[in-house]
Structures are given as C-alpha cells and as structure tokens.
Amino acid sequence: MNRINTLFETKKARVLSIYFTAGFPALEDTIPIMEAAQAGGADIIEIGVPYSDPVADGPTIQDSNMIALENGISLKKIFDQLKGFRAKIHIPVVMMGYLNPIIQYGIEAFCQKCKEVGVDGLILPDLPMQQYQDDYKELFEQYGLVNTFLISPQTSEKRIREIDENTSGFIYMVSSHSTTGAKTGISEEQIAYFERVKAMNLKNPRLIGFGISDAETFTTASNYSSGAIIGSAFIKTVKDSKNLSEDIQKYIQSVVN
C-alpha cells in the first residue's frame, strides 16, 4: 500500500504536511531540509519543483522558485539529490509542481523516476481532471503514484464529489480564493467553507492549505479536516535560518505540540 494511504489509515487527525522548494535556499539543501522536517515531526513532505511562472503562488514561494532556479535546480538535479533518500526518510513524500516542466522531462520518464527514488504522490495544480483521466491516470497508477487534486471555496459540490471519486490519497483544500502565503488567522467565511465540505462526508481525507502558519491556525484547520499543509511560513523559516536542522525542528514542534 502507498505510504500516503497507510498514513491516513493510522493517523486520523492533526496530520502535518510541510512544503518546501527544492534547491532553496541553497542548491544542496533538499535532503537536509527533508531530514530536519521528519525529525521535527512532519507527517508528509511536499517537494516543490521550481518553475519560472508559478501563478498560484504568492511572493514567498515565487521568490524561492526564482532563487532555486538561479542556484541551478532542475528536475534531473532533484532526482539526483533524491537517490537513496529512502534509507533515511520513511514518511510519505510528494512532488508538487506545474505540468510544463514535467511534460518537458517526459511524463512516463518522470513517473519512472518517482517510483525509482521512492516518491509516493503528486500534486499538479494545473492538471485538468479530464486530461488526468484520459492521459495520466493509468500511468500514475502503474507507477504507484497517488494524485492529489485541489478544491477551493469556489468549487461546486458536484465538482468536489467528482474530485473525491478520482482521488486515492487526500484532497488538498485551498483555504481561500487567493495565492499561497501565510496570513493572520482564519475567517468565519473560511470556517463556513470548512464546515460545508466536512458535512459532505467525502471518502478521502482532506488537508487544508494556504494561510496555515502556526499552532493556532494548524489546530483550527485540523478541527475541520485531517490536518494541514504549511508552505510559505515554513519557507520563511528556512530562508531566515542560521542553523537549518535546528530551526526547522524547532518551528515544526512549535506548530504540532
């Protein structure tokens, strides 16, 4: 069974997924960040594949993408870095990115590499459902990759149920109709959205992302879902760090404890 499915079968609440950009802040920081995130208590690691036009992301993640690309990161380099990571990292690992670099790399070659190094799943925000069903679903399944779709407050119930039907890992609940970024607090409007989706009794677990940054927002999100995803706030921690391992562990523990 895929590590993602196993995780959600064994841990029903307060699942923390940590997103970071590969090759940031320095080119070879990818594995050290993963090791520190696991040691700190993260349940899932999302590796961001840098792209020159990350339209869904706010300034923090866009900036990390640019720096990583300037550092020389590429999909080939990421896979080189990930060789043998399963000797140390036992938690689920997901690759998140835009479709264009993956198509350029070659979809099947990409899936083969993911399986080879030990990646468990994919989050491709700009992959249309129909294209997934027609072109990629069988391929992803062949290589044991769980595909995660995103929903937002604007997503209709019909669409949410279609996504639930075509998901086998977890659903990424975007907390607001905006780009990524750490924001202060969670609004009543967002709570109403969380409650509405919770009441749908979907078959897949849900993780809430966008605007989750600390223990308070993590706990609030976890009251309405299986847990949450932290990206921008984690990337800020990494960017400002003088001691990556120490600061990452300290930050994650401040969120989950």
Side-chain angles (χ1 to χ4, degrees):
M1 187 185 280
N2 187 289
R3 289 179 191 88
I4 294 168
N5 303 116
T6 303
L7 168 67
F8 285 107
E9 283 199 359
T10 55
K11 187 169 184 178
K12 304 293 185 186
R14 295 179 66 83
V15 170
L16 175 62
S17 184
I18 288 292
Y19 169 94
F20 74 99
T21 305
F24 172 86
L27 182 61
E28 299 297 341
D29 283 339
T30 305
I31 295 296
I33 288 173
M34 292 170 72
E35 289 178 5
Q38 177 176 266
D43 298 297
I44 300 173
I45 293 169
E46 292 177 23
I47 303 171
V49 178
Y51 182 47
S52 56
D53 187 25
V55 290
D57 294 305
T60 301
I61 292 178
Q62 283 191 13
D63 181 54
S64 70
N65 273 243
M66 294 305 109
I67 291 170
L69 290 169
E70 285 165 11
N71 287 343
I73 201 67
S74 64
L75 258 180
K76 183 184 181 304
K77 179 65 177 172
I78 294 169
F79 284 129
D80 286 345
Q81 291 176 340
L82 292 178
K83 278 178 188 167
F85 85 86
R86 280 292 169 205
K88 293 181 178 178
I89 307 290
H90 57 80
I91 62 176
V93 171
V94 174
M95 287 185 81
M96 181 171 185
Y98 295 85
L99 207 47
N100 193 288
I102 294 166
I103 288 172
Q104 288 179 8
Y105 188 89
I107 295 286
E108 184 154 13
F110 173 79
C111 293
Q112 281 176 324
K113 273 290 181 187
C114 284
K115 183 175 183 181
E116 187 184 302
V117 299
V119 169
D120 303 291
L122 306 172
I123 304 174
L124 306 170
D126 59 343
L127 172 60
M129 172 71 74
Q130 198 60 52
Q131 188 177 2
Y132 166 72
Q133 289 172 317
D134 294 345
D135 302 333
Y136 301 145
K137 188 171 189 281
E138 284 185 17
L139 197 60
F140 289 0
E141 288 173 355
Q142 180 187 334
Y143 291 100
L145 297 168
V146 166
N147 185 61
T148 292
F149 285 103
L150 287 75
I151 64 171
S152 78
Q154 281 67 40
T155 310
S156 68
E157 179 171 341
K158 183 185 176 189
R159 179 72 169 169
I160 292 171
R161 293 205 182 277
E162 183 188 8
I163 285 170
D164 190 42
E165 196 56 41
N166 286 280
T167 298
S168 57
F170 66 93
I171 292 171
Y172 189 136
M173 275 184 76
V174 176
S175 68
S176 60
H177 189 60
S178 65
T179 56
T180 56
K183 300 167 184 72
T184 53
I186 291 175
S187 69
E188 287 183 19
E189 189 181 5
Q190 287 172 298
I191 296 291
Y193 156 59
F194 299 162
E195 287 178 334
R196 175 169 61 86
V197 176
K198 186 178 181 181
M200 290 174 67
N201 294 315
L202 303 176
K203 70 181 175 74
N204 284 283
R206 304 169 318 285
L207 295 181
I208 295 172
F210 287 46
I212 312 300
S213 60
D214 53 22
E216 184 184 355
T217 47
F218 175 67
T219 296
T220 301
S222 296
N223 288 337
Y224 299 95
S225 66
S226 296
I229 299 162
I230 297 181
S232 295
F234 181 73
I235 285 173
K236 283 178 181 169
T237 299
V238 166
K239 185 179 183 180
D240 297 339
S241 174
K242 300 289 184 285
N243 182 321
L244 267 183
S245 181
E246 195 176 286
D247 293 340
I248 287 170
Q249 290 183 59
K250 190 175 174 185
Y251 172 73
I252 292 174
Q253 283 161 10
S254 78
V255 171
V256 298
N257 292 338

